[in-house]
Amino acid sequence: VQTCALPIYEKKVAPAILATYPGTWIEQPKYWRTAARVIDISVEDGVLYADLDGRGKTRLSALSDTNFTGIQGGVDFVPKGAGQPPDMFIRHVSGNYRFARKP
């Protein structure tokens, strides 16, 4: 597991909210590579982890219920509505990359 320096403030996110994030997320649409990037999001012991393209799990630190640091410029989950999976965005200096959960 890769680690990074934790922010001064890390929010405790409710397990019910964290449970909406795990899964395999695929870049929409693929941008600069021949294949879209894939991120596997998992929860272990109340902590969110991201594995970008099979590089290994990286701990994500919560700044809010939907905003996390740890990879690239951060990860944002954007709720769409009741019963629908959220959208996920990876923040990057070149612009935000959208990911959709693999069905």
Side-chain angles (χ1 to χ4, degrees), residues 55-68:
R55 297 179 191 163
K57 289 182 181 179
T58 299
R59 185 184 195 283
L60 300 179
S61 299
L63 300 176
S64 73
D65 286 345
T66 60
N67 181 273
F68 296 81

Side-chain angles (χ1 to χ4, degrees), residues 44-59:
E44 296 175 20
D45 297 324
V47 176
L48 208 60
Y49 290 88
D51 184 349
L52 176 61
D53 291 330
R55 297 179 191 163
K57 289 182 181 179
T58 299
R59 185 184 195 283

Side-chain angles (χ1 to χ4, degrees), residues 30-44:
K30 68 176 183 64
Y31 286 100
W32 51 274
R33 297 172 34 155
T34 57
R37 293 182 299 170
V38 176
I39 298 179
D40 287 311
I41 300 290
S42 60
V43 175
E44 296 175 20

